[in-house]
Amino acid sequence: MQFGIFTVGDVTRDPTTGVTPSEHERIRAMVRYARHAEAVGLDVFATGEHHNPPFVPSSPTTLLGYIAGSTERLVLSTSTTLITTNDPVKIAEDFAMLQHLAGPERVDLMLGRGNTAPVYPWFGQEIENSVPLTVENYQLLRALWDAEGPIDFEGRFRAPLHGFVSTPRPVDGVAPFVWHGSIRTPEVAEIAAYFGDGFFANNIFWPPEHYTRLIGLYRQRFEHHGHGPANTATVGLGGQFFMRRNSQDAWNEFQPYFDEAPVYGHGPSMADFTERTPLTVGSPQQVIDRTLTFREHFGDYQRQLFLVDHAGLPEKTVLEQLDLLGEILPTLRAEFEARRPAGVPSDPPTHAERLAARAVPQPA
């Protein structure tokens, strides 16, 4: 099972010191977090995509390409790439290029509609079209990656393509593995299932029952479309924690950051939020115990990412969180695998596995 971290790249004032990092400081810190994640034994680093303050990751492949040059085995991904407002041609080209630079086993991506309404008009689109944009743009992206020659494409939302070939081509003709992320949209679960892609639930803002419905739909439709039994579908989850050796120390230290967090500050109390959502604030053992309950709600899954660097937490604290995560990582791996039934994959499909699958004739 893969474990890693994802960042939303918020530039937030530290409520305990009043210090706000510069954009430069925040971007460089994300690079250090990725390197440290690899050093403590994590498998994945993923970055969001945002085009508005207080967030800075507007160019995910630039960030991931830079990180690739100073890491050796870390899987580089996104959380998410905006399929609605990015040109599918640019997505196809950027991630194929990243494959060539980082190595095909080290690159995948997560596609999503995005949850920032103003982004749509900034890129010439309307939020009311978000679902049809998702469908059309992903169909084009798949065509660009999978075609063995030039393609012709005419759709509703972009200029037609005639005899077009995106370059560079994916390594070995096999595109990066795609996850589809959603917190509320069943159509996204259907797209993931139809293509046999992965489905990712961010597992942060809502009670487990909310995500159970989407993941259950995805698994059901994955089997319906002939990709295999429902329990073998590729599922990823988010989550977040704040750890200290002593649970009360964790609670006391994280409280001011929770209260000012840009995504949920000034809302529910931390006590209510930790009770109703997967946020865990406490000791390492409490984080282990809570994380292991995720499979009780969602079934066996292949990737677990944690948000650890948000809400103004200082760099020193984030690195300490990664150290603690590295300490409990062997236990999490062992416990998840001990519970996993035979025949259920422990990891997402690898590049080598997907390359081998291309040689097997597939039904239309």
Side-chain angles (χ1 to χ4, degrees), residues 224-248:
H224 169 82
H225 289 300
H227 300 297
N231 67 344
T232 64
T234 306
V235 173
L237 294 177
Q240 58 180 326
F241 62 79
F242 188 86
M243 277 189 280
R244 287 302 184 199
R245 304 285 181 194
N246 179 283
S247 59
Q248 192 59 55

Side-chain angles (χ1 to χ4, degrees), residues 2 104-105 174 177 347-356:
Q2 291 181 336
E105 296 286 7
V174 178
F177 184 70
D347 295 302
T350 66
H351 179 83
E353 290 168 343
R354 296 169 64 232
L355 178 60

Side-chain angles (χ1 to χ4, degrees), residues 103-119:
E105 296 286 7
R106 297 187 59 196
V107 176
D108 62 32
L109 71 158
M110 185 198 309
L111 299 175
R113 294 187 305 137
N115 58 9
T116 306
V119 171

Side-chain angles (χ1 to χ4, degrees), residues 2-320:
Q2 291 181 336
F3 289 87
I5 58 171
F6 71 101
T7 182
V8 294
D10 59 308
V11 178
T12 303
R13 182 183 69 94
D14 183 332
T16 67
T17 65
V19 174
T20 302
S22 67
E23 290 181 331
H24 177 77
E25 290 169 332
R26 186 70 174 92
I27 292 167
R28 298 300 302 188
M30 289 190 292
V31 173
R32 287 188 285 272
Y33 299 153
R35 292 170 178 163
H36 202 66
E38 180 172 89
V40 302
L42 293 170
D43 307 301
V44 183
F45 174 84
T47 175
E49 177 188 348
H50 298 276
H51 299 275
N52 56 294
F55 306 100
V56 293
S58 58
S59 182
T61 52
T62 304
L63 175 63
L64 297 177
Y66 186 86
I67 292 170
S70 57
T71 55
E72 295 181 357
R73 58 170 187 80
L74 200 63
V75 175
L76 305 167
S77 189
T78 54
S79 61
T80 61
T81 295
L82 301 178
I83 187 63
T84 47
T85 52
N86 279 305
D87 185 348
V89 171
K90 198 71 174 77
I91 297 176
E93 293 173 342
D94 284 352
F95 282 90
M97 178 67 78
L98 185 58
Q99 264 194 324
H100 285 275
L101 293 172
E105 296 286 7
R106 297 187 59 196
V107 176
D108 62 32
L109 71 158
M110 185 198 309
L111 299 175
R113 294 187 305 137
N115 58 9
T116 306
V119 171
Y120 285 81
W122 294 340
F123 290 89
Q125 302 294 348
E126 298 177 359
I127 194 170
E128 293 80 7
N129 294 327
S130 64
V131 171
L133 270 167
T134 298
V135 174
E136 180 177 307
N137 283 355
Y138 189 55
Q139 288 177 319
L140 175 54
L141 178 60
R142 284 256 64 103
L144 290 164
W145 272 338
D146 296 343
E148 295 184 359
I151 69 162
D152 296 320
F153 183 89
E154 290 196 24
R156 177 180 166 193
F157 298 108
R158 78 172 316 282
L161 296 172
H162 299 294
F164 184 82
V165 177
S166 68
T167 59
R169 304 303 299 146
V171 176
D172 301 321
V174 178
F177 184 70
V178 173
W179 304 79
H180 300 262
S182 178
I183 61 174
R184 65 174 67 89
T185 310
E187 291 89 344
V188 172
E190 171 65 21
I191 293 169
Y194 179 83
F195 285 96
D197 298 332
F199 183 78
F200 190 93
N202 83 349
N203 199 33
I204 288 179
F205 301 113
W206 303 90
E209 308 80 59
H210 177 88
Y211 299 106
T212 299
R213 290 190 290 270
L214 280 172
I215 293 173
L217 172 64
Y218 161 68
R219 290 187 185 277
Q220 175 191 2
R221 299 297 292 172
F222 181 93
E223 182 171 316
H224 169 82
H225 289 300
H227 300 297
N231 67 344
T232 64
T234 306
V235 173
L237 294 177
Q240 58 180 326
F241 62 79
F242 188 86
M243 277 189 280
R244 287 302 184 199
R245 304 285 181 194
N246 179 283
S247 59
Q248 192 59 55
D249 290 341
W251 196 270
N252 293 339
E253 185 175 347
F254 189 61
Q255 181 76 68
Y257 295 97
F258 175 90
D259 291 342
E260 298 295 325
V263 291
Y264 45 62
H266 310 288
S269 69
M270 192 161 77
D272 287 342
F273 203 81
T274 53
E275 181 180 351
R276 299 177 60 189
T277 78
L279 171 63
T280 307
V281 180
S283 68
Q285 189 60 52
Q286 287 174 306
V287 172
I288 292 172
D289 293 342
R290 186 73 175 280
T291 304
L292 290 174
T293 67
F294 293 172
R295 68 176 297 278
E296 298 171 11
H297 298 288
F298 310 116
D300 294 281
Y301 61 108
Q302 288 70 40
R303 175 175 287 182
Q304 175 66 62
L305 302 183
F306 294 104
L307 175 64
V308 297
D309 71 329
H310 65 124
L313 288 168
E315 183 175 335
K316 176 177 180 293
T317 300
V318 174
L319 294 174
E320 290 167 350

Side-chain angles (χ1 to χ4, degrees), residues 303-344:
R303 175 175 287 182
Q304 175 66 62
L305 302 183
F306 294 104
L307 175 64
V308 297
D309 71 329
H310 65 124
L313 288 168
E315 183 175 335
K316 176 177 180 293
T317 300
V318 174
L319 294 174
E320 290 167 350
Q321 295 298 299
L322 291 174
D323 287 336
L324 289 167
L325 179 56
E327 289 181 20
I328 67 173
L329 195 55
T331 301
L332 285 171
R333 291 193 195 278
E335 292 294 333
F336 270 107
E337 292 316 306
R339 292 162 168 78
R340 189 180 302 276
V344 175

